[in-house]
Amino acid sequence: MLSFRLLLPVFFVGIAWLQESIDQIFFSGNWNLPIGPGLPWWGLLTAPFSHAGFGHLTSNTIMFLPLSWLVLSKGIRDYIGVLVAVVVMEIPVWLFWPRGSHGMSGVLYGLLGYLLLIGFLERRFMTILLSVVGLVLFGNALPALIPGVSPAGVSWIGHASGFLGGIFAALALSREPKRLNKAKD
């Protein structure tokens, strides 16, 4: 099971690298699979694998793998829950945001949002440790959730919707902390 947990994020990154390689080699960087108004619904599933070049993909890969492994250390259920929540939260972006959006950033922020909240909700040593590690390693990415802070062309709304997906996943998946010796009334 441990090897599956390590390989699942590598598999997802491999799909993104394959897509970007095909895009660059055969389509000169014009084969993008974004979400956006008027685009097909399946863009919700393809957009995270589509990037604006190898630089974009590399920066997302560097964050995606450790964030994925941190969430997977909690469990596969939580990891899949975050991914599903991020896709659900991208639906309003797909329907209403005026520009197309693609890349793993929404997923990254979903994983980060989950990590930051789960320790607070569960109040267990390991989940608190996960939250602290997530904050220390990736807290510098939080300002990109604010409109106008991200560079031109970067979809802050994709970041924010992914982050909200992670928050909702943490709320839905958290397990109640065990009560220690409750006093009887």
Side-chain angles (χ1 to χ4, degrees):
M1 186 63 158
L2 180 60
S3 62
F4 177 73
R5 286 185 185 183
L6 291 174
L7 292 178
L8 185 59
V10 173
F11 172 75
F12 288 142
V13 165
I15 293 172
W17 278 90
L18 177 63
Q19 189 280 333
E20 191 59 35
S21 296
I22 292 169
D23 179 24
Q24 295 300 321
I25 293 168
F26 297 108
F27 299 99
S28 302
N30 294 314
W31 184 42
N32 293 317
L33 307 168
I35 59 171
L39 296 174
W41 67 267
W42 47 264
L44 293 165
L45 304 176
T46 61
F49 301 107
S50 175
H51 289 79
F54 287 116
H56 183 208
L57 179 54
T58 299
S59 65
N60 279 341
T61 298
I62 289 169
M63 287 183 67
F64 178 76
L65 290 174
L67 282 168
S68 289
W69 290 326
L70 286 171
V71 173
L72 279 165
S73 71
K74 181 83 171 58
I76 189 76
R77 170 184 168 258
D78 295 69
Y79 188 69
I80 299 299
V82 171
L83 298 180
V84 169
V86 167
V87 170
V88 168
M89 289 307 297
E90 292 288 341
I91 292 172
V93 176
W94 166 58
L95 291 173
F96 304 114
W97 194 248
R99 291 183 302 268
S101 176
H102 64 126
M104 278 189 212
S105 299
V107 178
L108 300 175
Y109 280 93
L111 295 166
L112 183 57
Y114 171 86
L115 285 171
L116 294 180
L117 186 58
I118 198 68
F120 175 79
L121 294 173
E122 292 190 357
R123 297 183 196 113
R124 293 188 179 107
F125 175 76
M126 280 307 295
T127 55
I128 292 169
L129 182 61
L130 285 173
S131 292
V132 169
V133 168
L135 181 62
V136 168
L137 293 179
F138 301 104
N140 63 336
L142 293 174
L145 295 171
I146 302 168
V149 172
S150 295
V154 175
S155 175
W156 70 268
I157 193 74
H159 296 169
S161 64
F163 190 80
L164 284 173
I167 295 293
F168 291 142
L171 290 167
L173 297 168
S174 67
R175 293 152 187 97
E176 180 102 11
K178 292 178 182 171
R179 303 287 182 227
L180 300 175
N181 300 327
K182 278 188 163 181
K184 292 182 180 181
D185 291 346

